[in-house]
Amino acid sequence: MSSLKTLILLILLSISFNCLAVQNVADSLTIADTNSATTTNADVPQYDDTFYEAGLVTMTFFFLIGFCILTAIGVAIATLILLAILALGFFGAFSTSIIYGLYKKSLSKAFRLFMVLSFGFCGAILSSLIFIFFNEILHWFTFENVLLQGAILGLLSGFVAGFIAFQILKSLTKLFIAKLKTKN
């Protein structure tokens, strides 16, 4: 029984010694921290965060407005350039058809050439845009190849559509002239 009492006494002493040792280590760390040369939170100046938040919100708002304005200006310039290119293309088709009509001395041939060139030009542009759109979805080829394929296919289909449209318009014109002659 005495050995049991001795064992319990030793366990209690070791537990108490360990508790004292842990507390001494914690106290020594606390003392070391207070004696260090680092600054405390009391030395750091405290700033009001609402002042900076208001400035950041204001600057972000003005940058956003400036970005929107510059984007609108860029879109307007790009649109004007594209419209100028389209206008030059149609004026080229118009002037070419007039020169061809004067050379052949036929208004019908001039109008047919204008329709074929206009349909070909529009077909090349629309087909290129459609091919680019489908290429973004399906990833066929590189951008340059798709643009060239779309332009060639659109140009050829535009020429065919121009000839067909001219023949339809020619037959409708003949039909309307015949109707006008029979009424008089």
Side-chain angles (χ1 to χ4, degrees), residues 117-136:
L117 288 177
S118 297
F119 272 74
F121 187 64
C122 289
I125 291 172
L126 290 176
S127 180
S128 296
L129 292 175
I130 290 171
F131 269 52
I132 290 170
F133 175 73
F134 282 130
N135 188 41
E136 289 295 320

Side-chain angles (χ1 to χ4, degrees), residues 32-95:
D33 284 343
T34 58
N35 291 335
S36 66
T38 59
T39 60
T40 61
N41 286 341
D43 296 339
V44 177
Q46 299 295 323
Y47 296 106
D48 184 20
D49 286 341
T50 58
F51 175 74
Y52 292 116
E53 289 173 2
L56 287 174
V57 168
T58 305
M59 286 175 47
T60 304
F61 181 69
F62 282 122
F63 281 128
L64 183 64
I65 289 174
F67 180 75
C68 289
I69 290 171
L70 291 177
T71 302
I73 290 171
V75 167
I77 289 172
T79 304
L80 288 176
I81 290 172
L82 286 175
L83 288 176
I85 291 171
L86 288 174
L88 288 173
F90 281 114
F91 283 134
F94 185 68
S95 64

Side-chain angles (χ1 to χ4, degrees), residues 10-25:
L10 284 175
I11 292 174
L12 288 174
L13 283 174
S14 68
I15 290 174
S16 64
F17 179 72
N18 283 338
C19 289
L20 289 174
V22 169
Q23 188 174 1
N24 286 339
V25 170

